[in-house]
Amino acid sequence: MNDILKRAGMGECKELYTPISTSKLVIIDTDLYDDPTQYKSLAGALQYLTITRPDLSFAVNQLCQHMHAPTVSHWEQLKRVLRYVKGTVYFSLRVRKSSSREIHAFSDSD
């Protein structure tokens, strides 16, 4: 996660606690982002991160739907997700090798 933040030049960015704005609508503009390769690279890196960070799945899926022609507002949304990652850098699912073939699952059912 820290490598992704450094690659984006956001290693020291301000932290956020939600990956998507909960208070305002995002206005999509038509101005294309000037470095779509950077957008694609970072969105792809975030996509791999969703394996151990399911809390990012929805936001990253939204970003990846615009890889063909990202706009400036899509870039702003991607930066918001990166700020969220910065604030939650120690969150993740632990995936490790097991000698047992048993499957254990936990659920919170109300």
Side-chain angles (χ1 to χ4, degrees):
M1 289 183 260
N2 287 321
D3 291 340
I4 296 169
L5 290 167
K6 286 178 188 172
R7 192 169 10 148
M10 297 181 67
E12 301 299 322
C13 67
K14 180 181 174 185
E15 302 172 358
L16 290 177
Y17 298 102
T18 59
I20 298 175
S21 177
T22 58
S23 62
K24 66 178 183 175
L25 291 173
V26 176
I27 298 171
I28 304 297
D29 59 18
T30 57
D31 297 332
L32 293 177
Y33 181 58
D34 60 349
D35 191 357
T37 302
Q38 180 186 31
Y39 180 93
K40 292 174 188 180
S41 173
L42 292 170
L46 287 171
Q47 194 170 26
Y48 280 106
L49 196 56
T50 63
I51 295 168
T52 59
R53 294 288 307 270
D55 56 322
L56 297 173
S57 294
F58 180 78
V60 172
N61 176 275
Q62 296 295 308
L63 295 171
C64 289
Q65 290 181 25
H66 304 285
M67 281 202 190
H68 61 284
T71 64
V72 173
S73 59
H74 295 131
W75 174 247
E76 294 297 322
Q77 291 172 353
L78 188 138
K79 289 195 311 185
R80 181 179 178 94
V81 172
L82 290 172
R83 284 191 206 83
Y84 172 74
V85 167
K86 173 69 174 177
T88 60
V89 76
Y90 297 106
F91 290 8
S92 69
L93 295 176
R94 293 184 57 183
V95 181
R96 60 181 183 243
K97 184 178 179 178
S98 173
S99 60
S100 171
R101 293 185 182 245
E102 294 179 10
I103 297 176
H104 298 273
F106 299 93
S107 174
D108 180 15
S109 59
D110 291 336

